[in-house]
Amino acid sequence: MTNLHHPCLSGLARNPAAPEDVLVRIAAHRAGRHGMARRQEPLPDAVVEALLAHDDGDAFAGLRAERISPAMRRRIDTHPDPAIRDARADFIRHLVERGSTAVLADLEEVYGQPRTALALSPDPKVRAAVAGSWYDRPIDVQTALLADPDPGVRAAATQHKQPGVPPAWRDRCLADPATRANVAWYVPLTWDQFTELMRTGDEDIQRAVAANPHLTADMAVQLLDVDDPLVRVAVGQSRHVDNATRERLYALVEARRADGDIDAKVALSWNFTEPDWMREAPLDERLSYLDSPHTVFRRVLAGSRDLPEEAWRRLDNDPELSVRRTAARRPDAPPDVLERLVRAHGDVFHQRPLLVEHPNFPRQTLRTFVDEPTPNVRYVALQDPELPVPALQGLAAAEEPFLRRGVARHPNVTDALLDRLLSDPDPNVADDAAANPALRPARMHRILTEAAL
């Protein structure tokens, strides 16, 4: 019981199929309590009682009210130990104090007030937290936040395009040092507002202005000589510059990148800006960028849905992978295009829906991906929920831990494979194996016995 990082106990505590008696026993171990805090399913009262008997408050910091019964919420709220009683509230208040993102429902739960009242809290950090998490707040709440005496609250209220800044408030927000750079990104600017912003000479403000989608042609001209790679790329993506000007701006930035300039590298490599105006442009205008030497224009074009067949053929064979992946997300992408793309490069698992989830993807081919030489492509085979056991066995023997983790999470994994993966040298593999709902209760109890629980 001295091992605070027991991976099997942490994973077992997250296992949605773990019976109540297993969870009660596992609450005696810190690693189990850590896993329990990450568990998504509601906790039976007996399990909460076990946590109360063993925990010093860590598990309760992440335990949201909807996961426990009203009776247990009352037990926690009246517990004599403040480390337990106040664990959840202290955690959320710590997030608020640091200015970190908090879930709006959590703020309401901890502070015991509806969001409308919290927006008027005497604590400016609470008001800022509400402004940063209540994205669809009504206009009267937004104007109150824009008028807030605390600059941190005003900055939080203008951080995102929504709910926006009413026209009557634009001058005030553009003159306010706390909100100026935020608002300059997205509100329509008058010539006088544009001129005042550029007069500040502030690098962040100039970059925000350059990326503003509402700039006029006259404004774009004024930005042409700003010696900042991020500004130059943003202006180069404007609909108001001709091809010759665009190429000149990009060439200047390319030269800076070749000299090792980090801002130039960021400007050319990151999605700092995109020519979003292309999405609404007439088809003929969009198609004129099919041969653009700049990836971002072809990638935005590939997000269209109305291109002719020849354009799709070109985009499906574009030299840049990001362009090909964007084109493959169109509703009528051919099965062979989808399969070829995924077989060559795998899928992007942080971007949903996956390409293998596309209605046209030939899912019957998924299991054949286990024979591909590239590990991240072999991983795609695990998207087949009925992947045969021999294929799973082969992937479980892979050198790459992420492949073994995929097997550990797979619904078709066998008892023998799970048993092997529970002893994997990589703790993340063992954790995922213990969290698999296919794990039998008898094996769960063996894990507890081996941990002397």
Side-chain angles (χ1 to χ4, degrees):
M1 292 184 61
T2 58
N3 181 6
L4 301 182
H5 306 286
H6 196 302
C8 291
L9 295 182
S10 176
L12 185 55
R14 291 190 295 111
N15 194 317
E20 182 177 302
D21 65 318
V22 166
L23 296 177
V24 168
R25 289 172 63 185
I26 212 169
H29 197 291
R30 186 174 178 182
R33 296 194 296 273
H34 172 75
M36 200 113 41
R38 297 163 58 200
R39 187 179 175 85
Q40 299 300 311
E41 295 76 22
L43 292 178
D45 287 1
V47 177
V48 180
E49 289 283 8
L51 289 174
L52 288 169
H54 296 288
D55 193 37
D56 56 5
D58 288 349
F60 292 98
L63 195 58
R64 301 183 69 172
E66 65 267 20
R67 292 175 55 205
I68 56 179
S69 72
M72 287 297 103
R73 287 203 297 270
R74 288 191 295 271
R75 285 271 285 116
I76 295 168
D77 291 342
T78 58
H79 199 279
D81 185 350
I84 290 176
R85 183 178 65 241
D86 301 329
R88 177 68 177 165
D90 287 349
F91 173 67
I92 298 300
R93 289 191 176 103
H94 178 67
L95 292 179
V96 170
E97 188 67 24
R98 292 182 54 191
S100 301
T101 302
V103 177
L104 189 57
D106 290 342
L107 297 175
E108 293 179 315
E109 174 192 333
V110 166
Y111 290 94
Q113 293 181 303
R115 59 199 67 185
T116 50
L118 291 177
L120 302 173
S121 168
D123 185 344
K125 291 187 176 179
V126 173
R127 301 197 301 273
V130 172
S133 58
W134 188 4
Y135 302 115
D136 58 348
R137 54 189 178 269
I139 194 63
D140 60 321
V141 174
Q142 174 68 340
T143 53
L145 293 170
L146 295 176
D148 196 281
D150 188 275
V153 176
R154 301 196 301 276
T158 55
Q159 187 69 44
H160 304 288
K161 293 181 180 180
Q162 298 300 328
V165 177
W169 283 82
R170 288 174 187 165
D171 276 328
R172 179 170 173 174
C173 289
L174 289 168
D176 182 353
T179 60
R180 181 185 294 143
N182 287 345
V183 176
W185 278 94
Y186 55 81
V187 300
L189 300 174
T190 66
W191 180 259
D192 288 342
Q193 290 168 339
F194 169 83
T195 302
E196 284 299 315
L197 290 170
M198 296 304 297
R199 194 172 290 157
T200 65
D202 185 287
E203 182 181 77
D204 290 337
I205 291 174
Q206 289 181 338
R207 291 174 176 179
V209 170
N212 190 304
H214 304 289
L215 293 188
T216 65
D218 290 343
M219 294 174 186
V221 168
Q222 295 298 311
L223 291 164
L224 290 177
D225 295 323
V226 177
D227 186 17
D228 181 328
L230 283 93
V231 171
R232 282 177 168 161
V233 167
V235 177
Q237 293 175 8
S238 170
R239 71 187 313 160
H240 299 303
V241 300
D242 56 33
N243 284 334
T245 302
R246 178 174 293 118
E247 296 312 311
R248 177 178 70 82
L249 293 170
Y250 268 93
L252 289 169
V253 179
E254 290 281 6
R256 289 272 291 268
R257 180 168 67 173
D259 289 338
D261 187 294
I262 187 64
D263 283 342
K265 183 177 181 180
V266 169
L268 292 169
S269 304
W270 293 9
N271 293 337
F272 173 64
T273 57
E274 285 192 340
D276 290 328
W277 55 269
M278 280 181 60
R279 305 184 201 281
E280 306 298 328
L283 178 60
D284 288 348
E285 185 177 1
R286 279 180 281 137
L287 287 174
S288 69
Y289 292 92
L290 188 58
D291 293 313
S292 173
H294 310 298
T295 300
V296 64
F297 288 90
R298 303 194 310 277
R299 186 173 64 243
V300 172
L301 174 63
S304 301
R305 294 293 181 263
D306 59 346
L307 304 184
E309 199 58 40
E310 174 59 18
W312 287 127
R313 187 191 64 77
R314 298 265 300 278
L315 293 168
D316 286 335
N317 292 280
D318 193 275
E320 287 292 333
L321 177 58
S322 64
V323 175
R324 301 198 300 277
R325 280 183 166 150
T326 301
R329 293 188 176 278
R330 66 191 186 271
D332 58 348
D336 63 307
V337 167
L338 291 161
E339 182 185 353
R340 183 178 73 240
L341 181 59
V342 177
R343 194 175 289 277
H345 303 285
D347 214 332
V348 182
F349 285 88
H350 64 269
Q351 185 177 357
R352 299 286 173 165
L354 302 176
L355 288 177
V356 298
E357 295 169 340
H358 192 292
N360 292 347
F361 188 90
R363 291 186 63 83
Q364 72 278 5
T365 68
L366 280 174
R367 59 191 59 188
T368 68
F369 281 57
V370 296
D371 299 320
E372 293 296 330
T374 309
N376 69 308
V377 177
R378 291 204 301 276
Y379 184 84
V380 175
L382 291 162
Q383 298 305 302
D384 181 352
E386 298 178 354
L387 191 64
V389 171
L392 289 170
Q393 291 171 329
L395 294 172
E399 294 182 7
E400 296 81 9
F402 76 90
L403 284 173
R404 304 198 303 275
R405 288 189 73 182
V407 176
R409 294 189 294 263
H410 199 274
N412 208 32
V413 67
T414 63
D415 293 346
L417 269 179
L418 274 181
D419 203 50
R420 181 169 124 202
L421 294 168
L422 286 168
S423 301
D424 195 276
D426 188 297
N428 292 315
V429 177
D431 183 275
D432 283 337
N436 194 317
L439 190 68
R440 296 183 186 276
R443 187 63 181 93
M444 295 182 187
H445 285 95
R446 275 178 52 202
I447 292 173
L448 297 177
T449 301
E450 291 164 1
L453 292 176

